[in-house]
Amino acid sequence: MPHTELAAAVLNKAREKGFRIATAESCTGGLIVGALTDIAGSSDVVDRGFVTYSNEAKQQMLSVQVGTLDRFGAVSEATAKEMAYGALANSLADITVSVTGVAGPGGGSAEKPVGLVWFGLAEQGLPPVSEQVLFGDIGRAQVREKTVAHALSMLLDALET
């Protein structure tokens, strides 16, 4: 499903449930909230998007703990969960999605290769959940595009339950 269709489905399902959405983005730099707000009328559902590219921004805007970043790094399950929860705590949203990864072309390592992305999802009253996807070294633009699609799909799946 193209981004526009996915984003429209997310917005419609959120409207049905009376939910507001926030995003917490690192490797996508705002592309997820951008996909949602490309659709006219999205302001009744989209509360805000946090673009937290640096570790300092993750700490200041999303309350990601220094210890989490020191111990696990920015690209980790723990950070993705804290980002999602932080977006929930620092917004008016009912549900949030977070992404942190290595889009490339450089910056990868044996433990965290290019194309590795961690996703977090937080919903009011539920513990944050996470998913890891290894897209591979398919190019920066493709990693980012696939990350947007996966994040929107996660939101849609959560909203449909």
Side-chain angles (χ1 to χ4, degrees):
M1 188 182 302
H3 290 207
T4 305
E5 289 179 34
L6 262 175
V10 167
L11 293 172
N12 289 333
K13 194 53 78 170
R15 276 187 196 101
E16 285 175 23
K17 291 187 85 167
F19 274 26
R20 300 208 56 197
I21 298 169
T23 66
E25 304 180 57
S26 187
C27 62
T28 49
L31 293 174
I32 300 164
V33 77
L36 292 167
T37 58
D38 274 347
I39 298 171
S42 59
S43 61
D44 65 335
V45 171
V46 178
D47 178 53
R48 68 192 75 187
F50 296 93
V51 178
T52 56
Y53 214 69
S54 70
N55 285 351
E56 292 79 13
K58 288 173 183 66
Q59 292 167 45
Q60 292 169 5
M61 297 171 72
L62 301 172
S63 306
V64 173
Q65 299 298 304
V66 175
T68 300
L69 293 165
D70 288 346
R71 183 168 179 203
F72 302 106
V75 180
S76 66
E77 178 179 25
T79 298
K81 284 183 174 182
E82 285 190 25
M83 287 173 67
Y85 182 76
L88 199 62
N90 292 292
S91 72
L92 302 175
D94 302 288
I95 191 168
T96 65
V97 68
S98 68
V99 295
T100 183
V102 184
S109 66
E111 300 90 23
K112 297 178 183 181
V114 171
L116 170 68
V117 180
W118 276 101
F119 297 82
L121 186 94
E123 191 174 334
Q124 289 291 352
L126 298 174
V129 296
S130 63
E131 289 183 17
Q132 177 192 53
V133 177
L134 183 55
F135 294 112
D137 193 354
I138 57 174
R140 183 177 184 80
Q142 282 291 18
V143 168
R144 287 163 48 108
E145 284 297 306
K146 288 182 178 290
T147 298
V148 172
H150 189 82
L152 290 172
S153 294
M154 279 182 73
L155 277 171
L156 186 59
D157 289 349
L159 289 165
E160 287 179 335
T161 58

